[in-house]
Structures are given as C-alpha cells and as structure tokens.
Amino acid sequence: MRTCLCITTLISLLLLAGCDMFAGPAADIPDNELRSKWRECKQIKNPSRTKVLACENYERECSRRKNKGNLVCY
C-alpha cells in the first residue's frame, strides 16, 4: 500500500513539474525574432494552413509574454 502511495505521489509531482515543457517551440524564440515573425504573419493575405498554425502559435506566445508584462509584439 505504501509503495502505491509513493508511486502515485511521484507521478503526480512529475506531471505537475512537466506542465511548462509543453509551452511549445515559440517559447524559446528571442523577443526580436518573435516580433518579426508576428509582424510577418499580420501582413500575409492568404496564408497556407501550416502558416496559419505557425502564426497562431506566435500570437499565443505574444499573448503569454504580454500577460507577463513583456509587450514585445504590441
């Protein structure tokens, strides 16, 4: 019973600690590069499906940084 509790606790801790690892590759982009990619996305008239997904990721990362007080894209 005690080992089951220890294993459950360990798994829970690993899950909580790993939550931020799914932030995505846009989280590693420097501010100036994110800003240029975000601006590029705003200028595209008819983006492809993959470009739309990439631009959504950039927009999400800009919003995340904005919530932290970093107005890199605005």
Side-chain angles (χ1 to χ4, degrees), residues 4-71:
C4 183
L5 179 63
C6 289
I7 291 173
T8 303
T9 304
L10 180 63
I11 291 173
S12 298
L13 287 173
L14 289 173
L15 287 173
L16 288 174
C19 285
D20 195 33
M21 85 179 192
F22 299 108
D28 297 333
I29 295 177
D31 288 347
N32 59 348
E33 187 177 341
L34 178 62
R35 182 184 310 114
S36 67
K37 297 219 181 252
W38 179 76
R39 285 183 179 166
E40 179 185 318
C41 286
K42 294 295 183 185
Q43 295 174 356
I44 298 173
K45 301 291 184 210
N46 191 14
S48 66
R49 174 121 175 99
T50 55
K51 194 65 171 178
V52 168
L53 292 174
C55 290
E56 287 173 355
N57 288 337
Y58 297 138
E59 184 69 36
R60 191 175 310 116
E61 181 60 22
C62 285
S63 297
R64 188 183 72 79
R65 292 185 191 189
K66 181 181 177 185
N67 290 339
K68 289 185 172 183
N70 183 354
L71 302 175

